[in-house]
Amino acid sequence: MDFFAKLGKSALDVFRVVGRAGIVLWRAILSVRRLGRSVGLIFEQMRQFGIDSLPLVIITSVFTGAVAAVQVSYQLKEFLPKAYLGTAIFKSVVIELGPVLTALVVGGRVGASIAAELGTMRVTEQIDAMEAMAIDPHRYLVMPRLVAGLVMLPALTVIADILAIGGGFVVAGVALDVSAKVFIDGMRTMFYAGDVLGGLIKACAFGGIIALMGCTAGLQAAGGAVGVGRAATRAVVASCVLILIGDYILTTLIYGIIFP
Amino acid sequence: MINGINWKDGSFIHVDDLHKSFGSNHVLRGVTFDVFEGETLVILGASGCGKSVLLKHIIALMYPDSGRVDYRGENIFEMLAPELNEVRKNFGMVFQGAALFDSMTVGENVGLPAFEHWGTRGEELSKLVEEKLTLVGLGGIAHLRPSEISGGMKKRVALARAIALDPDVILYDEPTTGLDPIMAEQINELIRDTQKELGATSIVVTHDLHSATFIGDRVALVVDGRVEFVGTTDELMSTEHEAVRNFIARGQANRDRPEPDFTVSF
Ligand SMILES: Nc1ncnc2c1ncn2[C@@H]1O[C@H](COP(=O)(O)OP(=O)(O)O)[C@@H](O)[C@H]1O
Ligand SMILES: [Mg+2]
């Protein structure tokens, strides 16, 4: 009973953030016409979103590629020649593993930190102070984070893709006895630019989700330090759930309709 | 004419029958009062009676369940964002916890409104920041972070930031709460001096009777979500109004012992 009550409550929590996010997104979009005046703010957020996430993304992606190589080779063993190892790794990384895993780890890190920062500003009345001085927090705080998310997550994903494929390449050569030439030939067969592009489109959407959920949860925070902690949790949960649901929808759309 | 303020000039800010509830907590129960141009009006009331909530309505940081706030004859709750922002540029607000942006230096805090709204940059901005900081007695600390200065200094910086755009109206939320008596006295004097210097209209929210009589031209007493009494500070001290006498009696009892606990309510 307790379990279901808790489940219901956290689902409600997520819905509440998502509903509110629509309004926050709309107000951030309205402020895009003042993009020019916010360039400095945007660059600062791009640094925090992108550069500061790099170590985490590097570690995650190298090991993701390595695991993918072992996993794929184990599953292909009986059915397909090793020449397809490169093909399988390349495709699974650029379409799925790169964008989604990068989004999930960055979502945990950046989503929580955005929510905690804005949440602290909310409960210490800094957001009120900003509004009182006629500065719209949606322009000053949300829009730069949103733009940073939209730009930096695809950028991080490109890096993650390269490193993951590199990781797979090394493991294939060292542990699985697949030569460099065979691996690269495998990557070349059935190479579609649409695969890479589709993955980056997904990454762009995920970056937007992370920034938006972080900002929304932060702006909604109430009730002191406890409220800030709750906002951070809510941001991470909401962005993970939305990334996975969004991944399903976008994958269906992109690979079913746009690049069939 | 009292203190050079012409009470007959008509209402500058008119608060009319404000109601506000949070769930079942009916905080404002029909608050009505006027603020005249150039005066310092103190809103006096016990902790938790809704003073901060009331002050936030005056600058539309909160919206009421019913009622209106007119600024120069126009209801601010009916304004769209651009119009409301123009009105807000005429207001400066000093928050209870100072609410300085802790990602910025003191100087960036004070300079932000001018940077954003007037496009002031570089040398000119530094000069403006230093001028405002000097006005509150804090020249030369622009490079410090809010975390590096004391509570009293934060309140001063918050005041410097609030007056950065030369506002017509300054709102203070519990300016002396949480400060030691000496610091509180300095802030009281600073508020009075700022008033003289700028001639702005001030609305000061406080639960401190001494502070109220020291800085106020008029005082409005809030009890149970309503304004029970409005009058000059002299009238406040001499009235036979029961709610006022009660408040003053309690206030004097409290003054004899130090404030037991201080909790910031957000
Ligand atoms: N954002 C809010 N949500 C819910 N309740 C609030 C909110 N802000 C204030 N309150 C409640 O309104 C009442 C008055 O608060 P406040 O205006 O801060 O009192 P004070 O007179 O000490 O400034 C309190 O009971 C407080 O719990
Ligand atoms: Mg208060």
Side-chain angles (χ1 to χ4, degrees), chain B residues 135-266:
Chain B
L135 212 57
V136 299
L138 289 178
I141 68 153
H143 61 284
L144 295 178
R145 299 238 151 221
S147 56
E148 296 170 311
I149 62 178
S150 73
M153 286 162 93
K154 281 184 192 160
K155 291 248 163 132
R156 284 165 183 261
V157 174
L159 177 57
R161 185 177 69 178
I163 60 177
L165 293 181
D166 303 323
D168 299 338
V169 187
I170 309 174
L171 309 178
Y172 299 86
D173 192 354
E174 308 253 10
T176 57
T177 302
L179 301 179
D180 64 69
I182 296 169
M183 189 61 82
E185 206 50 41
Q186 285 180 7
I187 296 283
N188 281 334
E189 276 161 22
L190 179 62
I191 291 173
R192 222 161 67 164
D193 294 348
T194 309
Q195 178 64 22
K196 279 203 200 105
E197 191 102 6
L198 305 178
T201 308
S202 303
I203 304 176
V204 184
V205 149
T206 185
H207 66 257
D208 178 354
L209 183 65
H210 167 71
S211 173
T213 52
F214 186 80
I215 53 186
D217 296 317
R218 290 193 309 144
V219 177
L221 180 70
V222 177
V223 181
D224 289 334
R226 284 190 200 87
V227 174
E228 281 291 334
F229 171 91
V230 192
T232 63
T233 44
D234 293 338
E235 284 166 3
L236 179 85
M237 299 315 285
S238 61
T239 184
E240 289 307 316
H241 195 295
E242 199 185 327
V244 178
R245 300 262 54 94
N246 280 342
F247 187 88
I248 292 174
R250 255 189 305 138
Q252 265 150 4
N254 279 341
R255 265 183 77 73
D256 295 338
R257 54 189 157 80
E259 196 111 325
D261 64 329
F262 163 65
T263 44
V264 184
S265 59
F266 294 118

Side-chain angles (χ1 to χ4, degrees), chain B residues 22 25 27 46-53 62 96 173-174 265-266:
Chain B
F22 297 100
N25 184 5
V27 180
S47 288
C49 78
K51 301 183 299 296
S52 299
V53 169
M62 284 185 179
Q96 190 165 348
D173 192 354
E174 308 253 10
S265 59
F266 294 118

Side-chain angles (χ1 to χ4, degrees), chain A residues 66 69-70 85 89 167-179 183:
Chain A
V70 176
L85 189 67
I89 289 174
F169 178 80
V170 170
V171 169
V174 172
L176 303 172
D177 200 24
V178 178
S179 76
F183 189 93

